[in-house]
Amino acid sequence: MKSTSAVYPARKMSAVEKSMLGCTIDRAPQLLPGLLTAVLLAWLSVWLSQYVGVTLLGFTKTPISAVMVAILLGLAIGNTVPLPASLKPGLTFAVKKVLRLGIILLGIRLSIFDVFKLGALGLPVVLLCVLSALFFTTRLNKWLKLPERLGILIATGTAICGVSAIVATGPAIDAEDEEMAYAVAVITVFGILATLVYPYAAHAIFAGDAVKAGLFLGTSIHDTSQVTGAALVFADMFSLPRALDVATVTKLVRNVFMAAIIPLMALYYTRKVAGQDETSSKNARVARIFPLFIVGFLACAVLRSIGDAGTNAGGYAFGLWDGAAWQDTYGFVKSWAVNLLVVALAGVGLSTRFDTLKNLGIKPFIVGLGAALAVGGVSLGAILMLGK
């Protein structure tokens, strides 16, 4: 394999991500350039989607998704215009932190009972997809004679939650930065392709069934940002917002598997390759392998449930808002959740570099393609079998 450290600085990516966990106000000057760029691109995307869909095409509600526009514009700009390095910290912040805040606020769309109902609905499909992705990817990686650690990274990224799973798994199996960079690049490429194609495929395959489409998007696309983006595109294009709820909860169920799968994969690697019987102490960091924004999502769902209980009983939500005012309040939060997600997806587009792919070689992409097709096929088959 050829080195990609010059075009895809995996070590710097890890450092930036690590520093974001301890973000303080003194880092604001570093974050503002990239963050404001993502915000401006998101605003432009929303305006363009409205202008083209409503003003030019005459629809009452635009059929053009602002998320799709943000991703495509970001990809176009990021790969044609040399972006200054000063934008990187802010773009990373948008992709990591703004995305998570948006997902947390999405919890206000659902009651906690809806969350558990949808989670239980998606659990069998999620479990089948996770297991099949792990098995098929590691087998294909071995068949192509690629490094064991690279196969594990691509497998966990495909099975659970994309880049986050790769970043969490890498230290647990002592992966090299180059191996992590390869896995991130492969997952990113196929995840973005799925984000652009799967919303339309899901609508065609499931005949507009929002629940089945949401299950498919939530289980077959890799990264959390990509699932959310695809679900928003589907909801916007076909006026089926329920798909966003189903896809989001399904993806969060997948993310929870990080707490079990990453230590197991580390144990598998150390026993198979290093001949050891226990995993590294690095696996013990719960905050690293369990996405804490899931707790925030559930907290918002609990708040929605408590508020609804108050107004449904003829009183006030939290003693402050009557029924109409409470609807306006959580409606405002929902709209800002979507706005934050558009900003995050604009950051994803701006951060993705096609020139990274030149030095990867074909074999990692064969593994990534095989993994994507396997998890998509299992997802589709499981939903069709268990759909009723």
PDB file of all heavy atoms in Angstrom, residues 106-123:
ATOM      1  N   LEU A 106     -33.510  16.461  17.751  1.00  0.00           N
ATOM      2  CA  LEU A 106     -34.507  15.676  17.022  1.00  0.00           C
ATOM      3  C   LEU A 106     -35.364  14.834  17.967  1.00  0.00           C
ATOM      4  O   LEU A 106     -36.479  14.447  17.618  1.00  0.00           O
ATOM      5  CB  LEU A 106     -33.830  14.752  16.009  1.00  0.00           C
ATOM      6  CG  LEU A 106     -33.460  15.312  14.645  1.00  0.00           C
ATOM      7  CD1 LEU A 106     -32.835  14.227  13.794  1.00  0.00           C
ATOM      8  CD2 LEU A 106     -34.648  15.925  13.936  1.00  0.00           C
ATOM      9  N   GLY A 107     -34.839  14.550  19.146  1.00  0.00           N
ATOM     10  CA  GLY A 107     -35.600  13.765  20.112  1.00  0.00           C
ATOM     11  C   GLY A 107     -36.920  14.407  20.498  1.00  0.00           C
ATOM     12  O   GLY A 107     -37.847  13.712  20.933  1.00  0.00           O
ATOM     13  N   ILE A 108     -37.038  15.721  20.312  1.00  0.00           N
ATOM     14  CA  ILE A 108     -38.269  16.428  20.681  1.00  0.00           C
ATOM     15  C   ILE A 108     -39.405  16.062  19.736  1.00  0.00           C
ATOM     16  O   ILE A 108     -40.575  16.330  20.029  1.00  0.00           O
ATOM     17  CB  ILE A 108     -38.033  17.963  20.672  1.00  0.00           C
ATOM     18  CG1 ILE A 108     -39.005  18.672  21.629  1.00  0.00           C
ATOM     19  CG2 ILE A 108     -38.168  18.541  19.285  1.00  0.00           C
ATOM     20  CD1 ILE A 108     -38.720  18.442  23.084  1.00  0.00           C
ATOM     21  N   ARG A 109     -39.084  15.433  18.599  1.00  0.00           N
ATOM     22  CA  ARG A 109     -40.125  15.021  17.654  1.00  0.00           C
ATOM     23  C   ARG A 109     -40.950  13.856  18.174  1.00  0.00           C
ATOM     24  O   ARG A 109     -42.067  13.612  17.709  1.00  0.00           O
ATOM     25  CB  ARG A 109     -39.497  14.612  16.315  1.00  0.00           C
ATOM     26  CG  ARG A 109     -38.804  15.725  15.560  1.00  0.00           C
ATOM     27  CD  ARG A 109     -37.966  15.161  14.423  1.00  0.00           C
ATOM     28  NE  ARG A 109     -38.746  14.337  13.537  1.00  0.00           N
ATOM     29  CZ  ARG A 109     -39.311  14.757  12.406  1.00  0.00           C
ATOM     30  NH1 ARG A 109     -39.152  16.021  12.043  1.00  0.00           N
ATOM     31  NH2 ARG A 109     -39.995  13.945  11.639  1.00  0.00           N
ATOM     32  N   LEU A 110     -40.408  13.091  19.123  1.00  0.00           N
ATOM     33  CA  LEU A 110     -41.013  11.831  19.544  1.00  0.00           C
ATOM     34  C   LEU A 110     -41.240  11.806  21.048  1.00  0.00           C
ATOM     35  O   LEU A 110     -40.493  12.413  21.814  1.00  0.00           O
ATOM     36  CB  LEU A 110     -40.099  10.659  19.177  1.00  0.00           C
ATOM     37  CG  LEU A 110     -39.759  10.470  17.704  1.00  0.00           C
ATOM     38  CD1 LEU A 110     -38.589   9.511  17.569  1.00  0.00           C
ATOM     39  CD2 LEU A 110     -40.962   9.936  16.960  1.00  0.00           C
ATOM     40  N   SER A 111     -42.252  11.053  21.461  1.00  0.00           N
ATOM     41  CA  SER A 111     -42.375  10.737  22.877  1.00  0.00           C
ATOM     42  C   SER A 111     -41.427   9.582  23.186  1.00  0.00           C
ATOM     43  O   SER A 111     -41.004   8.856  22.288  1.00  0.00           O
ATOM     44  CB  SER A 111     -43.815  10.344  23.230  1.00  0.00           C
ATOM     45  OG  SER A 111     -44.101   9.051  22.733  1.00  0.00           O
ATOM     46  N   ILE A 112     -41.105   9.403  24.444  1.00  0.00           N
ATOM     47  CA  ILE A 112     -40.202   8.329  24.825  1.00  0.00           C
ATOM     48  C   ILE A 112     -40.805   6.965  24.488  1.00  0.00           C
ATOM     49  O   ILE A 112     -40.095   6.009  24.177  1.00  0.00           O
ATOM     50  CB  ILE A 112     -39.848   8.410  26.335  1.00  0.00           C
ATOM     51  CG1 ILE A 112     -38.678   7.481  26.665  1.00  0.00           C
ATOM     52  CG2 ILE A 112     -41.060   8.119  27.198  1.00  0.00           C
ATOM     53  CD1 ILE A 112     -37.381   7.861  26.007  1.00  0.00           C
ATOM     54  N   PHE A 113     -42.141   6.888  24.489  1.00  0.00           N
ATOM     55  CA  PHE A 113     -42.807   5.626  24.141  1.00  0.00           C
ATOM     56  C   PHE A 113     -42.626   5.320  22.656  1.00  0.00           C
ATOM     57  O   PHE A 113     -42.446   4.163  22.270  1.00  0.00           O
ATOM     58  CB  PHE A 113     -44.291   5.710  24.509  1.00  0.00           C
ATOM     59  CG  PHE A 113     -44.528   6.110  25.931  1.00  0.00           C
ATOM     60  CD1 PHE A 113     -44.983   7.375  26.246  1.00  0.00           C
ATOM     61  CD2 PHE A 113     -44.255   5.227  26.969  1.00  0.00           C
ATOM     62  CE1 PHE A 113     -45.187   7.755  27.559  1.00  0.00           C
ATOM     63  CE2 PHE A 113     -44.453   5.588  28.285  1.00  0.00           C
ATOM     64  CZ  PHE A 113     -44.916   6.860  28.585  1.00  0.00           C
ATOM     65  N   ASP A 114     -42.669   6.356  21.813  1.00  0.00           N
ATOM     66  CA  ASP A 114     -42.397   6.167  20.389  1.00  0.00           C
ATOM     67  C   ASP A 114     -40.978   5.662  20.170  1.00  0.00           C
ATOM     68  O   ASP A 114     -40.722   4.809  19.313  1.00  0.00           O
ATOM     69  CB  ASP A 114     -42.582   7.486  19.637  1.00  0.00           C
ATOM     70  CG  ASP A 114     -44.037   7.860  19.455  1.00  0.00           C
ATOM     71  OD1 ASP A 114     -44.878   6.947  19.427  1.00  0.00           O
ATOM     72  OD2 ASP A 114     -44.329   9.065  19.353  1.00  0.00           O
ATOM     73  N   VAL A 115     -40.032   6.230  20.932  1.00  0.00           N
ATOM     74  CA  VAL A 115     -38.634   5.835  20.781  1.00  0.00           C
ATOM     75  C   VAL A 115     -38.460   4.341  21.054  1.00  0.00           C
ATOM     76  O   VAL A 115     -37.836   3.614  20.271  1.00  0.00           O
ATOM     77  CB  VAL A 115     -37.733   6.661  21.719  1.00  0.00           C
ATOM     78  CG1 VAL A 115     -36.299   6.120  21.693  1.00  0.00           C
ATOM     79  CG2 VAL A 115     -37.741   8.127  21.315  1.00  0.00           C
ATOM     80  N   PHE A 116     -39.013   3.878  22.167  1.00  0.00           N
ATOM     81  CA  PHE A 116     -38.849   2.467  22.510  1.00  0.00           C
ATOM     82  C   PHE A 116     -39.610   1.556  21.538  1.00  0.00           C
ATOM     83  O   PHE A 116     -39.149   0.459  21.210  1.00  0.00           O
ATOM     84  CB  PHE A 116     -39.302   2.210  23.942  1.00  0.00           C
ATOM     85  CG  PHE A 116     -38.360   2.748  24.973  1.00  0.00           C
ATOM     86  CD1 PHE A 116     -38.785   3.639  25.936  1.00  0.00           C
ATOM     87  CD2 PHE A 116     -37.019   2.388  24.959  1.00  0.00           C
ATOM     88  CE1 PHE A 116     -37.899   4.154  26.878  1.00  0.00           C
ATOM     89  CE2 PHE A 116     -36.126   2.891  25.892  1.00  0.00           C
ATOM     90  CZ  PHE A 116     -36.579   3.775  26.860  1.00  0.00           C
ATOM     91  N   LYS A 117     -40.767   2.029  21.065  1.00  0.00           N
ATOM     92  CA  LYS A 117     -41.536   1.233  20.104  1.00  0.00           C
ATOM     93  C   LYS A 117     -40.763   1.088  18.799  1.00  0.00           C
ATOM     94  O   LYS A 117     -40.638  -0.013  18.259  1.00  0.00           O
ATOM     95  CB  LYS A 117     -42.881   1.899  19.853  1.00  0.00           C
ATOM     96  CG  LYS A 117     -43.757   1.161  18.855  1.00  0.00           C
ATOM     97  CD  LYS A 117     -45.084   1.874  18.651  1.00  0.00           C
ATOM     98  CE  LYS A 117     -45.945   1.151  17.617  1.00  0.00           C
ATOM     99  NZ  LYS A 117     -47.228   1.859  17.394  1.00  0.00           N
ATOM    100  N   LEU A 118     -40.235   2.207  18.296  1.00  0.00           N
ATOM    101  CA  LEU A 118     -39.471   2.155  17.050  1.00  0.00           C
ATOM    102  C   LEU A 118     -38.167   1.394  17.228  1.00  0.00           C
ATOM    103  O   LEU A 118     -37.722   0.683  16.323  1.00  0.00           O
ATOM    104  CB  LEU A 118     -39.188   3.577  16.554  1.00  0.00           C
ATOM    105  CG  LEU A 118     -40.407   4.399  16.125  1.00  0.00           C
ATOM    106  CD1 LEU A 118     -39.977   5.811  15.738  1.00  0.00           C
ATOM    107  CD2 LEU A 118     -41.129   3.727  14.966  1.00  0.00           C
ATOM    108  N   GLY A 119     -37.540   1.548  18.402  1.00  0.00           N
ATOM    109  CA  GLY A 119     -36.309   0.806  18.671  1.00  0.00           C
ATOM    110  C   GLY A 119     -36.541  -0.692  18.672  1.00  0.00           C
ATOM    111  O   GLY A 119     -35.749  -1.462  18.108  1.00  0.00           O
ATOM    112  N   ALA A 120     -37.638  -1.124  19.303  1.00  0.00           N
ATOM    113  CA  ALA A 120     -37.963  -2.553  19.325  1.00  0.00           C
ATOM    114  C   ALA A 120     -38.283  -3.054  17.924  1.00  0.00           C
ATOM    115  O   ALA A 120     -37.926  -4.176  17.543  1.00  0.00           O
ATOM    116  CB  ALA A 120     -39.142  -2.798  20.256  1.00  0.00           C
ATOM    117  N   LEU A 121     -38.950  -2.207  17.122  1.00  0.00           N
ATOM    118  CA  LEU A 121     -39.282  -2.578  15.752  1.00  0.00           C
ATOM    119  C   LEU A 121     -38.028  -2.819  14.926  1.00  0.00           C
ATOM    120  O   LEU A 121     -37.950  -3.765  14.146  1.00  0.00           O
ATOM    121  CB  LEU A 121     -40.118  -1.454  15.111  1.00  0.00           C
ATOM    122  CG  LEU A 121     -40.449  -1.577  13.622  1.00  0.00           C
ATOM    123  CD1 LEU A 121     -41.421  -2.720  13.407  1.00  0.00           C
ATOM    124  CD2 LEU A 121     -41.034  -0.278  13.097  1.00  0.00           C
ATOM    125  N   GLY A 122     -37.023  -1.963  15.102  1.00  0.00           N
ATOM    126  CA  GLY A 122     -35.825  -2.057  14.285  1.00  0.00           C
ATOM    127  C   GLY A 122     -34.773  -3.019  14.795  1.00  0.00           C
ATOM    128  O   GLY A 122     -33.856  -3.378  14.044  1.00  0.00           O
ATOM    129  N   LEU A 123     -34.883  -3.467  16.047  1.00  0.00           N
ATOM    130  CA  LEU A 123     -33.821  -4.268  16.659  1.00  0.00           C
ATOM    131  C   LEU A 123     -33.489  -5.552  15.894  1.00  0.00           C
ATOM    132  O   LEU A 123     -32.308  -5.836  15.669  1.00  0.00           O
ATOM    133  CB  LEU A 123     -34.191  -4.594  18.111  1.00  0.00           C
ATOM    134  CG  LEU A 123     -33.136  -5.366  18.911  1.00  0.00           C
ATOM    135  CD1 LEU A 123     -31.823  -4.581  18.967  1.00  0.00           C
ATOM    136  CD2 LEU A 123     -33.642  -5.647  20.318  1.00  0.00           C
TER     137      LEU A 123
END
